[in-house]
């Protein structure tokens, strides 16, 4: 390392120490601030991509902003409620990814027993979280920060025995210095505290991330992009509106100032006037009545008018934009426009198809890449989601109305069952109704008794035509 970089490292260490002492923040936050000052482009310092300073603020907004919390938890809870199973999978198994098929997939897969190590791991990822808690938190952080990190605790033989979630704001990524840039290791902390997880191999980490268009030589594209980064202005307006609304409500008891105009009337002392006003307002029979004073009085309005408060309706527009960031309708959140859109099931189905299913697919791919071995598969089962059952009925009606008869294997494949590849299952089914394939000659020949031509094969049946 050259002298220039050594000096920069020492300067950075000094800045972190002073900043942490002067502002009483954690070393992690101080490191983030100091790094942004010395290295405004992430990744330039020691080929490491440090957590973005704004990530911590996103977490704070998630905890304190009812709008952000409502949208993210709505999607994460709905998706985490879908059962997640481990299956055995043949090498030639075809995987379907269309949204309609996605609701009814995994039927051709064989569910692994509860005693299988993979199912045990999914049921209890660690000692302090259940499967539902683990999945929901991981998805919340993914939707909040645009990425989430899952550390795999392993035995000496390489088997994973525990899964632990780390926030993007606690994770530093080290990358290779040459193209193509890839992650060489991870470092995890808790609120800036060293927990002994340094130089963690990528094989021991499941990194689930959203696409990041900031593709540069510093490796910024190797970290996910938070939707809230794109919606920072919308988020600021929502938070400003909440703060203003709270301030107005707090000041609601002081809408204005009463003063005496008549110079000939002796004005009461401030304390006496305030005491009399409080007593007057406290009596129920005086509710809404004007407060009587001697002489001519004036009034200066200090609070907001109702028209001013109505301006806060702009928050509704910003909330719609926040919902758009996550692919859900604001009508799912007790919108005042619900009266013109009363089909709640349609909104919920849209949430599943546009938000929950893509989210589930993303985690499925990450889990299968990081946890499964050949012959096993992890998948969310959407087949029992009530809002998607209508599509099943429509699909059955469409199949029944098709002008061309399907074969048995084509129907099995359509409903997510494996093909049998039996010769008799390659013949079209009779449109008049379904029957067992081994009973195809159960019906008599309709020409029997009408044609006595000896050349007619008495065993011929229209069932095979």
């Amino acid at each position: 390392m050259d002298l220039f970089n050594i000096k920069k490292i020492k300067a950075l260490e000094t800045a972190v120490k002073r900043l942490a002492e002067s502002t009483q923040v954690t070393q992690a936050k101080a490191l983030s601030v100091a790094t942004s000052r010395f290295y405004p482009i992430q990744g330039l310092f020691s080929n490491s991509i440090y957590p973005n300073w704004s990530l911590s603020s996103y977490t704070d907004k998630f905890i304190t902003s009812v709008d952000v919390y409502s949208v993210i938890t709505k999607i994460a809870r709905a998706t985490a409620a879908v059962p997640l199973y481990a299956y055995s999978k043949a090498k030639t198994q075809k995987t379907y990814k269309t949204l309609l098929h996605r609701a009814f997939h995994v039927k051709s897969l064989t569910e692994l027993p509860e005693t299988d190590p993979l199912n045990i791991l999914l049921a209890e990822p660690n000692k302090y979280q259940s499967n539902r808690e683990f999945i929901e938190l991981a998805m919340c952080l993914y939707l909040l920060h645009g990425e989430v990190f899952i550390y795999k605790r392993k035995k000496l033989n390489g088997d994973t025995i525990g899964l632990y979630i780390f926030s993007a704001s606690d994770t530093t990524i080290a990358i290779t210095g040459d193209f193509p840039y890839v992650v060489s290791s991870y470092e995890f902390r808790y609120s800036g505290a060293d927990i002994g997880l340094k130089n963690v191999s990528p094989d021991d980490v499941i990194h689930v991330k959203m696409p990041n268009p900031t593709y540069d030589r510093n490796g910024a594209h190797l970290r996910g992009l938070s939707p809230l980064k794109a919606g920072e202005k919308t988020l600021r307006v929502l938070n400003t509106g909440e703060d203003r609304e709270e301030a107005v409500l707090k000041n609601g008891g002081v809408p204005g100032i009463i003063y005496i105009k008549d110079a000939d009337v002796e004005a009461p002392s401030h304390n006496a006037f305030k005491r009399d006003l409080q007593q007057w307002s406290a009596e129920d029979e005086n509710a809404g009545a004007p407060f009587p004073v001697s002489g001519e009085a004036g009034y200066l309005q200090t609070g907001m008018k109702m028209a001013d408060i109505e301006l806060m309706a702009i928050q509704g527009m910003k909330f719609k934009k926040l919902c758009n960031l996550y692919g859900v309708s604001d009508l799912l959140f007790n919108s005042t426009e619900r009266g013109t859109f009363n089909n709640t099931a349609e909104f919920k189905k849209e949430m599943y198809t546009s938000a929950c299913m893509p989210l589930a697919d993303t985690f499925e791919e990450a889990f299968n890449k990081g946890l499964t071995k050949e012959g096993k598969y992890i998948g969310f089962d959407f087949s029992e989601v009530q809002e998607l059952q209508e599509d099943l009925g429509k699909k059955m009606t469409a199949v029944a109305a098709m002008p061309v008869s399907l074969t048995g294997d084509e129907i099995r494949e359509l409903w997510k069952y494996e093909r049998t590849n039996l010769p008799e299952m390659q013949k079209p089914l009779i449109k008049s109704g379904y029957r067992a394939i081994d009973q195809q000659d159960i019906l008599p020949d309709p020409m029997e008794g009408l044609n006595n031509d000896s050349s007619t094969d008495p065993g011929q049946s229209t069932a095979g035509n």
Side-chain angles (χ1 to χ4, degrees):
M1 184 178 295
D2 58 33
L3 182 62
F4 175 73
N5 281 330
I6 293 176
K7 289 182 177 180
K8 296 194 77 172
I9 293 174
K10 290 183 178 180
L12 178 61
E13 292 175 348
T14 303
V16 170
K17 182 177 180 181
R18 290 178 178 176
L19 185 61
E21 292 175 350
S22 61
T23 59
Q24 295 183 345
V25 299
T26 63
Q27 288 283 338
K29 289 187 177 181
L31 177 61
S32 180
V33 174
T35 303
S36 65
R37 292 176 183 173
F38 279 82
Y39 305 93
I41 301 177
Q42 287 188 346
L44 190 60
F45 177 64
S46 299
N47 290 329
S48 295
I49 311 175
Y50 290 95
N52 194 300
W53 174 252
S54 62
L55 291 176
S56 296
S57 66
Y58 293 160
T59 302
D60 295 338
K61 293 297 184 295
F62 174 70
I63 296 173
T64 60
S65 171
V66 63
D67 292 327
V68 176
Y69 183 86
S70 298
V71 174
I72 289 180
T73 55
K74 185 84 169 181
I75 301 172
R77 285 174 181 171
T79 312
V82 178
L84 180 66
Y85 300 118
Y87 303 88
S88 60
K89 177 182 176 181
K91 293 181 180 180
T92 58
Q93 178 67 46
K94 185 177 181 180
T95 301
Y96 298 86
K97 286 299 180 183
T98 65
L99 289 180
L100 183 59
H101 287 166
R102 184 68 180 78
F104 311 105
H105 93 141
V106 304
K107 292 191 179 301
S108 61
L109 303 174
T110 303
E111 187 175 342
L112 293 172
E114 294 182 358
T115 54
D116 186 89
L118 188 55
N119 263 331
I120 294 175
L121 179 65
L122 293 176
E124 187 180 355
N126 52 64
K127 295 300 181 182
Y128 65 91
Q129 284 179 312
S130 66
N131 170 276
R132 176 76 173 269
E133 292 173 324
F134 179 86
I135 297 296
E136 186 174 331
L137 177 59
M139 289 181 172
C140 279
L141 289 173
Y142 171 81
L143 295 171
L144 183 65
H145 294 155
E147 60 182 349
V148 65
F149 301 85
I150 301 174
Y151 170 66
K152 298 185 291 184
R153 182 184 175 193
K154 295 182 177 181
K155 292 181 178 180
L156 293 178
N157 63 1
D159 292 341
T160 302
I161 58 174
L163 301 173
Y164 299 87
I165 296 173
F166 282 90
S167 168
S169 56
D170 286 326
T171 306
T172 299
I173 298 177
I175 65 173
T176 57
D178 300 320
F179 180 85
Y181 310 110
V182 296
V183 177
S184 59
S185 66
Y186 296 88
E187 179 180 348
F188 299 111
R189 293 173 175 265
Y190 274 151
S191 297
D194 187 356
I195 56 175
L197 288 178
K198 297 181 179 180
N199 298 319
V200 178
S201 169
D203 293 335
D204 296 334
V205 178
I206 299 175
H207 183 189
V208 193
K209 64 180 183 298
M210 294 184 180
N212 190 342
T214 310
Y215 202 99
D216 57 29
R217 65 182 182 85
N218 302 305
H221 58 283
L222 296 176
R223 301 207 65 149
L225 176 67
S226 170
L228 297 184
K229 178 66 176 177
E232 277 186 353
K233 292 182 179 179
T234 295
L235 191 59
R236 282 199 298 268
V237 172
L238 287 171
N239 291 328
T240 300
E242 285 186 3
D243 294 340
R244 182 59 179 163
E245 184 178 9
E246 181 183 13
V248 169
L249 291 176
K250 286 181 179 179
N251 274 332
V254 189
I257 300 172
I258 300 174
Y259 64 95
I260 306 301
K261 287 184 177 181
D262 195 342
D264 297 332
V265 178
E266 181 180 355
S269 66
H270 172 74
N271 290 336
F273 187 84
K274 183 173 68 172
R275 182 178 62 251
D276 293 342
L277 180 59
Q278 289 175 340
Q279 291 176 353
W280 172 269
S281 302
E283 296 177 7
D284 293 341
E285 61 269 19
N286 296 329
F291 177 63
V293 295
S294 300
E296 184 181 2
Y299 179 76
L300 296 176
Q301 181 174 327
T302 59
M304 292 184 69
K305 298 179 181 179
M306 290 303 298
D308 296 326
I309 296 178
E310 289 176 359
L311 292 177
M312 294 181 182
I314 194 174
Q315 285 184 273
M317 299 172 58
K318 294 300 181 181
F319 182 69
K320 287 184 178 182
K321 290 189 175 183
L322 179 64
C323 291
N324 289 339
L325 283 174
Y326 290 100
V328 296
S329 172
D330 66 303
L331 298 174
L332 289 169
F333 300 89
N334 299 317
S335 171
T336 55
E337 299 179 19
R338 173 63 64 87
T340 58
F341 300 89
N342 53 12
N343 196 340
T344 306
E346 286 298 317
F347 299 140
K348 289 184 178 180
K349 185 173 76 171
E350 181 186 0
M351 178 184 71
Y352 276 106
T353 57
S354 63
C356 297
M357 287 182 177
L359 179 62
D361 281 338
T362 298
F363 274 79
E364 262 189 25
E365 292 177 359
F367 286 155
N368 282 298
K369 180 180 179 181
L371 294 177
T372 60
K373 297 179 181 180
E374 186 175 355
K376 292 187 178 182
Y377 178 82
I378 296 175
F380 288 88
D381 185 5
F382 280 84
S383 62
E384 301 301 324
V385 176
Q386 183 178 358
E387 287 76 13
L388 300 174
Q389 298 308 306
E390 184 180 353
D391 280 351
L392 176 60
K394 290 180 179 179
K395 191 175 180 183
M396 293 176 65
T397 303
V399 171
M402 291 178 66
V404 179
S405 299
L406 299 178
T407 67
D409 264 352
E410 285 174 338
I411 291 180
R412 286 182 62 87
E413 189 175 30
L414 190 62
W415 295 109
K416 312 309 299 164
Y417 288 93
E418 286 182 321
R419 297 178 64 92
T420 64
N421 294 322
L422 296 174
E424 57 268 29
M425 291 296 286
Q426 312 309 313
K427 298 179 179 180
L429 296 172
I430 300 174
K431 290 288 292 183
S432 61
Y434 297 126
R435 54 186 174 162
I437 196 68
D438 58 356
Q439 298 179 3
Q440 67 265 32
D441 295 326
I442 192 172
L443 296 177
D445 187 341
M447 301 299 293
E448 186 177 353
L450 299 179
N451 187 350
N452 294 324
D453 189 348
S454 59
S455 64
T456 303
D457 185 0
Q460 184 177 357
S461 171
T462 58
N465 295 334

